[in-house]
Amino acid sequence: MKGLRILGDYILEFVVIVLLAIVSIATIIGFLPMMVGFAGYFSNKKDVRVFKDIFVTIGGCWKTLIPYTIFQLIMILVPVLNIYYFNTHIDAINPLFLGVSYVALVIGGFYLMTAPMILVNMDVTFFQLLRNGFVMLFAGPVRTLISLLILAAVFLSISYAPYLTIPLLYFAPLFITGFMKENFLYLKAKALGTNVYELKNNSEKDDYSNEK
């Protein structure tokens, strides 16, 4: 019975996350805040996280979310539209604009990975978010590369394998949040003059003390 309950919890979580992602994508503007909300949700352990965490996270950083959302719409949506237009109008291709669009899309992808974790853990201004998001890329190059590949898989699935997009809407934020959390902890541990293991160990002790 316990195994069935756990399975049911995962299925419910999968369905809710995918539905929220689809609704947010349909609104376009709501997609970016929802990604931040997912980062707040998946940052918590499975046995304590609740769906309310998504909206609490969004509400807790809405001031920075506004300029971040505008920035990302420019860096992601505009390039995607440009690339789509040039791919469907070959005779109108402008190499300069096409190249700039790809560069902007990559930059937007980087911040789509790193910014949510910063907003979850830090009270920052928009420019501080950009600076810290850039620094986080180098906190774990392998984790960053894997996260980028996952993000690329999402974009490619939309065009070439739509049936894979549904599960990726759940697994992409799940795994990217996990990797970026490790990057954040690495930077935090470095700033505190300790290591990630000690940082996690102290955090677990604090959680245990709070429970008591």
Side-chain angles (χ1 to χ4, degrees), residues 2-203:
K2 182 179 180 180
L4 288 175
R5 182 181 62 79
I6 294 174
L7 177 62
D9 289 342
Y10 275 108
I11 292 175
L12 176 62
E13 181 177 85
F14 177 88
V15 171
V16 172
I17 294 298
V18 168
L19 287 177
L20 287 174
I22 291 174
V23 171
S24 68
I25 292 172
T27 64
I28 299 179
I29 294 177
F31 172 70
L32 294 161
M34 190 59 68
M35 292 303 101
V36 175
F38 288 165
Y41 175 77
F42 284 123
S43 292
N44 297 323
K45 295 180 180 179
K46 180 67 177 71
D47 56 343
V48 298
R49 63 191 184 216
V50 293
F51 296 126
K52 185 177 71 172
D53 295 337
I54 298 172
F55 305 100
V56 170
T57 300
I58 295 173
C61 58
W62 68 270
K63 289 183 180 179
T64 308
L65 260 178
I66 294 175
Y68 168 69
T69 299
I70 296 172
F71 169 78
Q72 284 291 67
L73 287 176
I74 295 172
M75 300 302 290
I76 295 178
L77 183 60
V78 174
V80 166
L81 292 176
N82 283 342
I83 293 169
Y84 174 78
Y85 175 79
F86 288 133
N87 284 335
T88 55
H89 298 77
I90 305 299
D91 56 326
I93 285 183
N94 184 313
L96 177 61
F97 280 115
L98 186 59
V100 170
S101 295
Y102 277 114
V103 171
L105 187 60
V106 171
I107 294 173
F110 283 146
Y111 282 110
L112 191 60
M113 295 186 307
T114 61
M117 186 53 55
I118 294 172
L119 289 171
V120 168
N121 291 281
M122 300 175 67
D123 182 14
V124 294
T125 65
F126 172 65
F127 291 106
Q128 289 172 334
L129 174 65
L130 295 183
R131 184 177 67 251
N132 288 312
F134 179 77
V135 172
M136 188 182 288
L137 291 173
F138 304 97
V142 174
R143 291 188 292 267
T144 297
L145 178 60
I146 295 174
S147 298
L148 185 61
L149 291 175
I150 294 173
L151 197 60
V154 176
F155 282 108
L156 291 173
S157 70
I158 295 173
S159 300
Y160 302 104
Y163 55 88
L164 290 177
T165 305
I166 297 299
L168 283 174
L169 290 176
Y170 172 80
F171 289 107
L174 172 65
F175 287 114
I176 290 176
T177 296
F179 289 131
M180 291 302 105
K181 183 175 182 179
E182 289 298 315
N183 280 14
F184 178 83
L185 290 176
Y186 172 83
L187 292 176
K188 183 177 180 179
K190 186 176 181 180
L192 295 174
T194 182
N195 56 63
V196 175
Y197 174 78
E198 290 295 331
L199 199 63
K200 289 181 178 180
N201 191 41
N202 291 334
S203 177

